[in-house]
Amino acid sequence: MSDIHFDIASLHAAYRDGVSVGDVIATIYARIETADDPGIFIHLAARADLLAAAEALGPFDPLGKPLWGIPFAVKDNIDVAGMPTTAACAEYTYWPDSDATVVARLRAAGALVVGKTNLDQFATGLVGVRTPWPIPRNAIDAELVPGGSSSGSAVATARGIVSFALGTDTAGSGRIPAGLNNIVGLKPTVGALSTAGVVPACRTLDCVSVFALTVDDAYLVFSVAAARDAADAYSRDIAVQPLAARPPVLNVGIPAKADLKFFGDAAMQDGFEASLAMLSRLGCRLVEIPFGDFYATANLLYEGAWVAERYAAIRDFMDANEAAMHPVTRKIIGGARKLSAADAFRGLYALQAYKAKLAPVIASVDLFCVPTAPTHYTIAGVLADPVETNSRLGTYTNFVNLLDMCGIAVPTCTRDDGLPMSVTLLATAGLDGLVASVARDLHAASGLTLGATGWRQPCAQPVGASAEDGTIELVVVGAHLSGMPLNGQLREAGARFCRAMRTASSYKLYELAGQATPKPGLVRVGNDGTAIEVEVWRLPADAFGHFVAAIPPPLGIGSIELDDGSTAKGFLVESVGLLGASDISSFGGWRRFLSDRVPV
């Protein structure tokens, strides 16, 4: 049974074909033995306990329990009842009476906890080597750091020991290890997953993150685990939408060429350029953005307020047990003792200033694409220079939670030297589904195998926007199309892309006269018409009225017939608006008209 693929779709297919949970559990322990890496797990479930948990699931029921029989690992700063929590510090060990909220939700959905994984002590680091346990070996190249702080979780996933694993992410700990081990790392909107039962690093910024072999798997786990939790004061109501098709055109912000940092790693730079070319082929428009203020924001994370917050999280323990801590961790967190309350407020003021300055920049695009890590480092190189190398790894990660963004790290290609290349897609809070939809297509386009397993990606399942309670379909034809100037109005109203279609062959499209900016108008004409390209979006019902009320004349909302026979509300133009208008129906749509017309 060693050939069982552990991505969720393949594993559930195996269960349907008669593979037993016992077979899967035997495979897990066989893979742990084959890996021969004592640094992956700090605590491993007893085989008998795992079998008993599997027996308690009852018959195979992937509808009632979407993670039925799916094995996962948990970073050892997240509580699992019956297993010790160490945060990679033996003297800190305690035995929790209950699961962390996120673990409880995953177990309730049928997932099986295999064990607790190694980490940079107290989740302080991006390298994966700051642990008194053996350093987990990078699944792709054992001489390289595995990335941290969620090192063991990433390696366990990349080796196919588990289907997914939980990490945490304050400064990049759910993204850097994913990028360095050729897997997916989903860092949700802060507060979307409860941190109740998680040893804090920076409580105001901490996230529980998800490592998986595919975007579909990561997003499924996120969807199951996400919920507001009264036990977590930082928990938020984040609407988790089904994974849907991405809009046809997206404006993607990328660091300006002059601002890119690879620290001499030409292969990583080439890999990023290749990744951007993939995005362009998917229909994305790349927009260069000055990145100096993003980097300045990132630098705040290990200054003032947030270093003090790390100290506050373990102050009592550290003051009584400082000698028990890893020397690098001790030095970093101990630096907070030199800080004052004034230093903390100075940092908070600086962050607020950067937030205000960057808000319009972030809003100017649909999402961002950055390298997940600027380079790969050897273990020897990091041990020789532990602080600077760690800082460099956080170049594209440290600012994200400070600016309240969500993100997902996704493999895109293999560098010329055989090492993995990964990018991270970022967007404003709540747009987890958007970045996942783009990452899904990017990963599929890469054709890469999964992690270090050699397994091919599973066949992509079709996605779309099925009927959703509380939403209304809206057909857009002009400036509200994806990638167009007014599309942001839809997003601000909470709209989600549904599908690209054409109208029935009974419409004409006009460029309206007398408009300050070019504007189209759609009108139904009957048998003399043609099919016009449109997009269908979904708006929350409570936002639909406000959106429609803001539409200026001569445009209005009416029923539009689509080429599949369905109808939906959408933009139409009043007959008075056609005075002096130019018939542009032959172009087939507004986007094609804008791209094909010859400037006067």
Side-chain angles (χ1 to χ4, degrees):
M1 293 294 178
S2 61
D3 60 343
I4 302 174
H5 293 195
F6 272 17
D7 64 275
I8 294 174
S10 297
L11 189 49
H12 272 178
Y15 283 140
R16 290 189 191 94
D17 291 342
V19 170
S20 70
V21 183
D23 294 332
V24 170
I25 291 172
T27 300
I28 292 169
Y29 287 94
R31 288 177 182 168
I32 291 172
E33 184 176 354
T34 299
D36 191 27
D37 184 351
I40 298 176
F41 289 96
I42 289 177
H43 179 87
L44 196 60
R47 189 181 303 226
D49 291 341
L50 205 50
L51 287 167
E55 181 67 24
L57 292 176
F60 181 53
D61 180 18
L63 295 179
K65 294 182 181 295
L67 299 176
W68 193 98
I70 301 299
F72 75 109
V74 179
K75 184 178 181 179
D76 197 21
N77 62 341
I78 304 174
D79 289 347
V80 176
M83 296 184 184
T85 298
T86 72
C89 181
E91 289 78 2
Y92 185 79
T93 302
Y94 65 90
W95 290 78
D97 295 326
S98 59
D99 291 334
T101 299
V102 66
V103 172
R105 291 184 63 83
L106 296 172
R107 279 180 149 175
L112 301 170
V113 181
V114 172
K116 306 289 292 295
T117 54
N118 204 352
L119 65 149
D120 281 318
Q121 192 176 77
F122 293 112
T124 301
L126 295 172
V127 286
V129 305
R130 298 172 181 174
T131 172
W133 276 265
I135 297 169
R137 293 196 290 271
N138 183 298
I140 308 300
D141 185 335
E143 291 188 2
L144 302 178
V145 295
S149 60
S150 311
S151 50
S153 286
V155 173
T157 304
R159 289 190 175 279
I161 294 170
V162 293
S163 298
F164 71 91
L166 297 182
T168 58
D169 191 316
T170 303
S173 297
R175 291 161 279 158
I176 293 296
L180 302 187
N181 287 276
N182 193 42
I183 59 173
V184 173
L186 186 153
K187 188 219 74 71
T189 297
V190 175
L193 300 188
S194 171
T195 56
V198 178
V199 178
C202 295
R203 286 195 65 200
T204 58
L205 301 177
D206 290 342
C207 292
V208 174
S209 65
V210 181
F211 295 101
L213 295 169
T214 69
V215 173
D216 282 7
D217 288 0
Y219 198 78
L220 172 59
V221 173
F222 165 67
S223 301
V224 169
R228 188 175 180 88
D229 181 16
D232 175 11
Y234 291 95
S235 181
R236 296 157 76 180
D237 284 314
I238 300 295
V240 179
Q241 305 290 354
L243 190 59
R246 62 180 170 81
V249 178
L250 290 167
N251 295 317
V252 180
I254 60 173
K257 284 186 174 65
D259 292 336
L260 283 166
K261 297 182 180 183
F262 296 100
F263 305 103
D265 192 334
M268 197 70 93
Q269 182 171 358
D270 291 344
F272 185 58
E273 291 175 358
S275 302
L276 295 181
M278 292 170 64
L279 275 176
S280 294
R281 289 193 293 272
L282 291 175
C284 295
R285 295 174 179 159
L286 306 182
V287 181
E288 289 197 23
I289 301 289
F291 244 59
D293 288 332
F294 289 92
Y295 295 146
T297 303
N299 291 338
L300 295 174
L301 193 61
Y302 286 97
E303 300 173 4
W306 297 278
V307 175
E309 191 172 17
R310 287 180 182 270
Y311 178 50
I314 60 167
R315 179 175 181 173
D316 291 343
F317 173 81
M318 184 172 183
D319 288 350
N321 301 274
E322 188 165 347
M325 294 177 63
H326 189 280
V328 178
T329 308
R330 180 172 65 241
K331 180 179 179 181
I332 292 169
I333 299 178
R337 291 175 173 143
K338 302 174 184 177
L339 300 172
S340 67
D343 293 320
F345 276 103
R346 229 180 341 259
L348 292 171
Y349 298 155
L351 174 60
Q352 193 60 32
Y354 283 123
K355 281 183 173 180
K357 187 175 182 181
L358 287 170
V361 177
I362 294 171
S364 70
V365 294
D366 296 301
L367 68 159
F368 287 80
C369 178
V370 298
T372 299
T375 187
H376 289 271
Y377 283 115
T378 64
I379 293 173
V382 169
L383 293 178
D385 189 3
V387 175
E388 181 63 21
T389 52
N390 187 91
S391 176
R392 288 180 174 183
L393 282 180
T395 298
Y396 300 105
T397 62
N398 285 349
F399 62 82
V400 175
N401 286 2
L402 289 166
L403 296 175
D404 199 16
M405 303 176 80
C406 61
I408 186 167
V410 61
T412 52
C413 60
T414 301
R415 302 175 0 155
D416 291 342
D417 57 7
L419 298 180
M421 176 66 210
S422 168
V423 300
T424 295
L425 303 174
L426 302 168
T428 54
L431 295 183
D432 305 81
L434 173 65
V435 294
S437 67
V438 179
R440 185 183 196 264
D441 290 350
L442 198 54
H443 196 203
S446 75
L448 292 169
T449 54
L450 304 179
T453 65
W455 303 334
R456 296 179 63 183
Q457 295 184 38
C459 295
Q461 299 300 308
V463 294
S466 57
E468 301 174 45
D469 292 338
T471 62
I472 297 173
E473 288 191 339
L474 177 70
V475 178
V476 299
V477 67
H480 287 92
L481 292 166
S482 60
M484 291 288 182
L486 299 185
N487 184 254
Q489 293 179 357
L490 279 176
R491 295 196 180 281
E492 290 172 4
R496 294 179 59 244
F497 174 76
C498 183
R499 59 195 184 277
M501 298 194 69
R502 297 195 303 170
T503 66
S505 299
S506 53
Y507 291 86
K508 284 192 175 182
L509 188 68
Y510 290 84
E511 182 185 19
L512 304 183
Q515 302 296 315
T517 57
K519 184 179 295 183
L522 184 70
V523 63
R524 185 164 188 153
V525 296
N527 294 333
D528 292 334
T530 186
I532 302 297
E533 294 175 349
V534 295
E535 291 176 3
V536 182
W537 290 68
R538 284 189 174 274
L539 272 79
D542 58 358
F544 186 83
H546 294 291
F547 184 83
V548 170
I551 297 172
L555 299 178
I557 295 292
S559 294
I560 295 178
E561 183 181 358
L562 302 172
D563 64 354
D564 64 355
S566 65
T567 60
K569 301 299 180 185
F571 283 87
L572 293 170
V573 64
E574 301 173 19
S575 57
V576 68
L578 299 181
L579 295 175
S582 303
D583 185 348
I584 58 172
S585 305
S586 61
F587 289 90
W590 184 243
R591 197 189 304 280
R592 192 174 300 174
F593 166 72
L594 291 179
S595 63
D596 289 0
R597 69 176 180 171
V598 178
V600 177

